């Protein structure tokens, strides 16, 4: 039998990666009282189950009263080791407190049937073998749902996310066309007028019936035809008429930027599990968050907030950064970074053309990359032109490492 010891902490990723790679028969989870109150071991088991590794009936949770005691850690391990003395042991000392790691290492380092491993935070693609063996490649790509489950969050209404992504696939080309023209006065006027009408008639919830008197006019013939054909609208003399369902309204009143961003990120080789409009929540809590775009890279979660239009209510751009940071902190995870993708010039210093200094400082503090309006437009132009350099440029703009 192969038994694997995991030291439970709030950061579950190193333990999860080890289990996926080494597939033990039994999990032994050393858990302090503090971690028990946070249901950390149960969250870890749930994350494993989501990823296809069901250990709900193949685990033993070993309680540890004092996670700051090396001696108590060794006593707890002695008891469980005696029960499984004949097992082949794998000891992951990455988690837990430092005294727990020292205690586990000290107890197992002389055991001939034990292999001690460690996953560095700087490189989670391998586990170091402290028993003298070769490094162990860690190939499992953790999904968004697995990552969030370890912190107590659930992905809600995933079937609706899939439906939304299916619709958005059809609208990706149109989203790129709008993004490429996102500073054009004609398209800005159309979308602003549509947003006003939608707010008045609750179009994002009910859909909209559009008549010529609504004045939804566009003189760009190519884009006008794309919008009309995408949503079954008539267009007489440049004016749109017909009916838009709520999903079309949401797309045209800002969702196009989310769709375009989602489409761009899916093309990167070190990015996976890219999702659009993900809703997450925590058990027994009413608070939920809607995330415009999320994805995984380097076993870490990335969240993207997209802001189109003039954003007149947030002229300095600070409110959006506060919101993004609040969501990131709520997740309680160490390896979460964020992005603000915007077509609004309120983040740009009109004199220098760069991001405003106070926003640049705050974004660094929050570990939030701001994707500027000019970057959105240039990426859209590259996408429409079929430029082979697009993925490399997307990776550069989003500061994502790519394979050599």
């Amino acid at each position: 039998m192969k038994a694997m010891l995991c030291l439970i902490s709030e950061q579950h990723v190193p333990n999860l990666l080890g289990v996926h790679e080494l597939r033990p028969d039994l999990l032994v989870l050393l858990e302090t009282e503090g971690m028990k109150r946070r249901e950390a071991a149960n969250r870890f088991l749930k994350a494993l189950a989501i990823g296809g590794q069901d250990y709900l009936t193949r685990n033993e949770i070993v309680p540890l009263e004092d996670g700051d005691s090396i001696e108590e850690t060794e006593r707890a391990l002695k008891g469980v080791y005696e029960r499984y003395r004949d097992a082949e042991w794998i000891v992951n000392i990455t988690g837990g407190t430092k005294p727990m790691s020292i205690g586990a290492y000290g107890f197992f380092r002389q055991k001939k049937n034990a292999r001690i491993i460690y996953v560095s935070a700087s490189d989670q693609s391998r586990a170091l073998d402290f028993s003298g063996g070769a490094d162990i490649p860690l190939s499992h790509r953790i999904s968004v749902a697995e990552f969030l489950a370890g912190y107590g969050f659930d992905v809600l209404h995933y079937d609706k996310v899939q439906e939304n992504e299916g619709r958005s696939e059809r609208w990706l080309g149109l989203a790129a066309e709008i993004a490429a023209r996102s500073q054009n006065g004609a398209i800005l006027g159309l979308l602003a007028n549509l947003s006003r009408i939608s707010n008045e008639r609750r179009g994002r919830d009910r859909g909209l019936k559009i008549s010529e008197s609504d004045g939804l006019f566009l003189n760009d013939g190519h884009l006008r035809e794309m919008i009309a054909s995408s949503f079954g609208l008539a267009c007489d003399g440049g004016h749109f008429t017909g009916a838009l369902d709520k999903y079309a309204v949401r797309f045209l009143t800002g969702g196009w930027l989310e769709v375009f961003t989602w489409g761009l990120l899916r093309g990167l080789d070190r990015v996976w599990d890219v999702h659009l409009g993900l809703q997450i929540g925590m058990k027994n809590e009413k608070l939920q968050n809607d995330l415009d775009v999320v994805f995984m890279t380097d076993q870490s979660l990335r969240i993207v907030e997209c802001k189109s239009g003039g954003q007149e209510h947030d002229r300095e751009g600070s409110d959006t950064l506060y919101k993004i940071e609040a969501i990131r902190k709520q997740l309680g995870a160490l390896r979460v970074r964020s992005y603000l993708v915007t077509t609004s010039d309120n983040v740009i210093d009109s004199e220098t053309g760069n991001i405003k200094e106070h926003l640049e400082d705050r974004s660094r503090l929050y570990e939030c990359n701001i994707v500027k309006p000019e970057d959105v437009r240039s990426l859209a132009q590259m996408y429409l032109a079929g430029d082979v350099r697009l993925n490399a440029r997307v990776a550069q703009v989003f500061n994502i490492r790519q394979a050599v």
Side-chain angles (χ1 to χ4, degrees):
M1 182 183 73
K2 186 191 297 184
M4 186 170 188
L5 172 67
C6 295
L7 312 181
I8 296 300
S9 64
E10 290 184 332
Q11 309 304 325
H12 66 298
V13 169
N15 283 328
L16 190 147
L17 289 170
V19 173
H20 272 275
E21 192 64 39
L22 298 170
R23 308 290 177 92
D25 302 299
L26 173 71
L27 278 183
V28 177
L29 309 178
L30 189 63
E31 182 181 49
T32 65
E33 283 297 315
M35 288 299 101
K36 182 178 180 180
R37 287 193 294 272
R38 292 176 174 82
E39 301 184 43
N42 289 333
R43 291 175 178 179
F44 174 53
L45 292 169
K46 181 177 179 179
L48 283 169
I50 289 172
Q53 299 300 314
D54 189 351
Y55 283 88
L56 296 177
T57 59
R58 293 187 292 146
N59 75 85
E60 180 171 335
I61 298 177
V62 179
L64 180 65
E65 288 187 12
D66 187 358
D68 292 326
S69 170
I70 295 173
E71 293 76 14
E72 191 168 323
T73 297
E74 290 179 338
R75 282 196 295 272
L77 293 176
K78 182 179 180 181
V80 72
Y81 179 78
E82 290 298 327
R83 290 195 291 279
Y84 305 106
R85 176 180 286 274
D86 294 331
E88 173 191 345
W89 281 86
I90 303 161
V91 181
N92 190 339
I93 61 171
T94 313
T97 62
K98 285 184 173 62
M100 288 169 66
S101 296
I102 295 169
Y105 179 81
F107 180 81
F108 279 102
R109 70 187 182 93
Q110 300 297 336
K111 302 289 190 292
K112 293 183 179 180
N113 61 336
R115 185 181 191 184
I116 301 173
I117 65 172
Y118 175 80
V119 182
S120 171
S122 63
D123 182 5
Q124 296 192 104
S125 67
R126 59 184 181 137
L128 305 176
D129 190 333
F130 283 4
S131 304
D135 293 350
I136 303 166
L138 301 175
S139 58
H140 178 66
R141 285 187 161 190
I142 296 175
S143 69
V144 170
E146 289 172 81
F147 187 93
L148 290 171
Y151 299 101
F153 289 88
D154 293 314
V155 173
L156 309 174
H157 314 302
Y158 186 62
D159 55 337
K160 294 183 179 179
V161 173
Q162 292 177 304
E163 290 175 10
N164 183 36
E165 291 176 351
R167 283 189 298 268
S168 299
E169 188 78 49
R170 301 192 298 270
W171 298 338
L172 183 53
L174 176 57
E177 294 281 358
I178 296 173
R181 297 165 171 79
S182 56
Q183 291 296 302
N184 180 281
I187 187 63
L188 286 174
L190 171 70
L191 299 181
N193 197 13
L194 181 61
S195 293
R196 175 186 58 79
I197 295 169
S198 173
N199 290 336
E200 291 173 354
R201 305 178 195 170
R202 294 181 60 188
R204 293 176 65 87
D205 298 321
R206 301 174 177 176
L208 285 175
K209 288 184 177 180
I210 302 168
S211 65
E212 190 169 334
S213 62
D214 289 320
L216 295 180
F217 173 83
L218 184 62
N219 59 8
D220 183 324
H222 175 67
L223 187 56
R224 185 173 65 230
E225 176 57 32
M226 284 195 72
I227 293 173
S229 61
S230 295
F231 303 116
L233 298 176
C235 199
D236 185 13
H239 289 83
F240 292 103
T241 58
L244 294 170
D245 65 22
K246 62 183 180 181
Y247 304 111
V249 173
R250 292 171 186 174
F251 174 86
L252 289 169
T253 56
W256 58 267
L257 183 55
E258 300 162 24
V259 170
F260 177 60
T261 302
W262 168 75
L264 286 179
L265 290 164
R266 292 186 307 164
L268 303 187
D269 59 7
R270 291 181 67 98
V271 163
W272 65 91
D273 210 28
V274 187
H275 288 296
L276 178 66
L278 207 66
Q279 188 178 73
I280 65 171
M282 184 173 280
K283 185 176 68 175
N284 300 325
E285 291 190 12
K286 293 183 179 180
L287 183 64
Q288 298 176 359
N289 281 309
D290 294 313
L291 306 178
D292 291 346
V293 180
V294 298
F295 63 95
M296 296 293 297
T297 184
D298 290 336
Q299 309 295 8
S300 304
L301 181 68
R302 301 289 187 261
I303 59 177
V304 186
E305 182 80 6
C306 298
K307 292 296 181 184
S308 62
Q311 298 295 307
E312 287 81 3
H313 62 285
D314 185 15
R315 294 308 305 171
E316 290 301 311
S318 299
D319 292 350
T320 300
L321 284 178
Y322 290 140
K323 174 189 173 184
I324 296 170
E325 177 62 5
I327 294 172
R328 193 175 77 95
K329 279 190 172 180
Q330 185 190 356
L331 294 175
L334 288 180
R335 295 173 64 86
V336 176
R337 294 194 176 187
S338 59
Y339 302 86
L340 168 61
V341 178
T342 181
T343 60
S344 173
D345 283 333
N346 65 352
V347 301
I348 301 298
D349 186 318
S350 59
E351 294 184 2
T352 66
N354 298 321
I355 295 172
K356 292 175 180 176
E357 187 175 354
H358 74 280
L359 293 179
E360 187 72 45
D361 292 342
R362 193 167 296 280
S363 67
R364 280 196 294 267
L365 177 66
Y366 290 166
E367 295 185 300
C368 177
N369 285 30
I370 298 177
V371 178
K372 300 183 292 184
E374 65 183 75
D375 289 328
V376 174
R377 293 193 297 276
S378 67
L379 290 171
Q381 290 160 5
M382 293 178 73
Y383 177 92
L384 295 170
D387 195 321
V388 295
R389 299 167 297 175
L390 175 63
N391 287 345
R393 179 58 181 153
V394 173
Q396 182 183 38
V397 168
F398 282 85
N399 195 24
I400 295 169
R401 292 191 301 123
Q402 289 293 278
V404 178

